[in-house]
Amino acid sequence: MRKFKTLATLALAGLVVGCSSSNKDIEQSSAQDLYNKGQTYLQNGDYNSAIRYLERMGAKGFQYSGLGEQAQLSLIYAQYKVGEYYKALDAAERFARTYPNAANMDYVFYLAGLSNARLGDNFMQDFFKVNRASRAVVNVRNAYGNFQTIVKHYPQSQYAQDAQNWMNYLFNRLAEHELSIVKFYNKRKAYVAVVNRVEEMLRFYPNTEATKNALPYLKEAFGQIGIQDSQQKTELLIKEYENKTLPIPTKPEYGEQF
């Protein structure tokens, strides 16, 4: 037992010395050295080490050097790859403020969109096939906005088609979220709230499966309130939707490299 403790202590001491040496190396490095080492770690898939060097460039004010723009792009990517999605979003926002006219803004919006989409996901719920429509809605909306910016303002971008695919999928996610709220109100017999919510779905998410599935709740709500003419109009609308072929987009794959 005593020998084990000694070896463990020596190993820990070596780790501390190694970290200290590495930190000293970072502190004394030039912008070029920090950049080169950060890029080397990035290419080797050692994203955490890459982040240490690239973040130090920013802390020293080197983001305003000639290397700063690419270093910040690499930092966003590295933080995304290690699952630090909120940090990736913060870095993307800083990049947009610092380099508003950068040629790679489409790439920044793409990484921001993927980060928000990841935050809207949940691995365990994916595994058990649980519908996540009522959760992480803010991130889903933000992701939709990020991808929409690419489609609208960078239509020639290499990320435009994937951004459109994500928009289609996220649009339906948001519609499903609205349907979950309709069901919540209906269960509590809040029929006026049901009417208001489904009418909003018809306005904002007209050609979705979720809106189609919300119409029977609208019909019931009008019946409970006693507005028979609106109930009859809803019945006609239900029949109209039965003849529609509505898209149900599949979730795009997260690319490993981009």
Side-chain angles (χ1 to χ4, degrees):
M1 178 64 72
R2 183 174 302 170
K3 183 178 180 181
F4 172 79
K5 286 185 177 181
T6 302
L7 290 174
T9 302
L10 287 173
L12 180 60
L15 179 62
V16 171
V17 170
C19 290
S20 176
S21 176
S22 178
N23 289 335
K24 184 178 180 181
D25 177 55
I26 292 176
E27 288 298 325
Q28 295 177 349
S29 294
S30 66
Q32 185 69 61
D33 286 341
L34 288 170
Y35 177 81
N36 290 342
K37 289 178 180 178
Q39 293 300 321
T40 299
Y41 282 124
L42 194 71
Q43 292 169 11
N44 292 335
D46 186 350
Y47 301 113
N48 285 305
S49 294
I51 288 169
R52 291 177 61 213
Y53 282 88
L54 296 170
E55 281 185 333
R56 192 56 194 156
M57 282 191 71
K60 286 189 172 186
F62 292 145
Q63 71 267 33
Y64 300 106
S65 68
L67 302 172
E69 184 174 328
Q70 183 56 51
Q72 290 301 303
L73 286 172
S74 298
L75 179 61
I76 300 169
Y77 174 74
Q79 287 172 330
Y80 170 79
K81 291 295 288 184
V82 298
E84 294 283 0
Y85 303 122
Y86 284 113
K87 289 185 177 180
L89 289 169
D90 288 341
E93 186 175 343
R94 286 196 304 274
F95 184 95
R97 290 198 305 266
T98 308
Y99 311 103
N101 301 314
N104 294 306
M105 280 306 301
D106 59 331
Y107 180 64
V108 174
F109 279 112
Y110 186 64
L111 286 175
L114 292 179
S115 295
N116 272 310
R118 290 280 194 181
L119 289 168
D121 284 344
N122 183 291
F123 173 78
M124 289 305 293
Q125 290 173 342
D126 264 343
F127 182 81
F128 290 110
K129 307 300 181 185
V130 176
N131 191 315
R132 303 178 313 280
S134 63
R135 305 184 186 188
V137 178
V138 172
N139 293 116
V140 173
R141 286 176 179 154
N142 289 343
Y144 183 90
N146 297 144
F147 293 126
Q148 186 180 50
T149 298
I150 297 173
V151 172
K152 282 188 173 183
H153 298 288
Y154 306 96
Q156 303 305 316
S157 169
Q158 63 178 306
Y159 309 110
Q161 184 56 62
D162 197 43
Q164 183 63 66
N165 295 339
W166 273 105
M167 283 178 64
N168 296 340
Y169 168 73
L170 295 171
F171 185 80
N172 276 267
R173 280 278 309 274
L174 292 170
E176 290 171 9
H177 170 68
E178 294 301 310
L179 177 59
S180 70
I181 295 174
V182 169
K183 292 178 178 179
F184 174 85
Y185 286 141
N186 183 74
K187 187 175 181 180
R188 286 153 182 77
K189 304 185 187 303
Y191 298 115
V192 173
V194 169
V195 169
N196 291 336
R197 208 76 189 198
V198 179
E199 287 182 342
E200 284 189 3
M201 291 182 70
L202 286 166
R203 185 160 60 253
F204 295 110
Y205 308 99
N207 295 311
T208 63
E209 192 72 20
T211 297
K212 175 182 177 180
N213 294 334
L215 292 176
Y217 295 102
L218 181 63
K219 177 185 173 183
E220 179 187 354
F222 279 132
Q224 293 290 341
I225 295 171
I227 308 177
Q228 294 183 351
D229 58 337
S230 293
Q231 186 180 29
Q232 292 169 357
K233 289 178 182 178
T234 304
E235 177 63 35
L236 294 174
L237 192 57
I238 290 172
K239 292 179 180 178
E240 180 183 328
Y241 263 77
E242 287 175 353
N243 297 322
K244 287 185 177 182
T245 301
L246 302 174
I248 306 178
T250 57
K251 181 179 179 180
E253 296 290 334
Y254 288 107
E256 287 301 316
Q257 299 293 334
F258 34 81

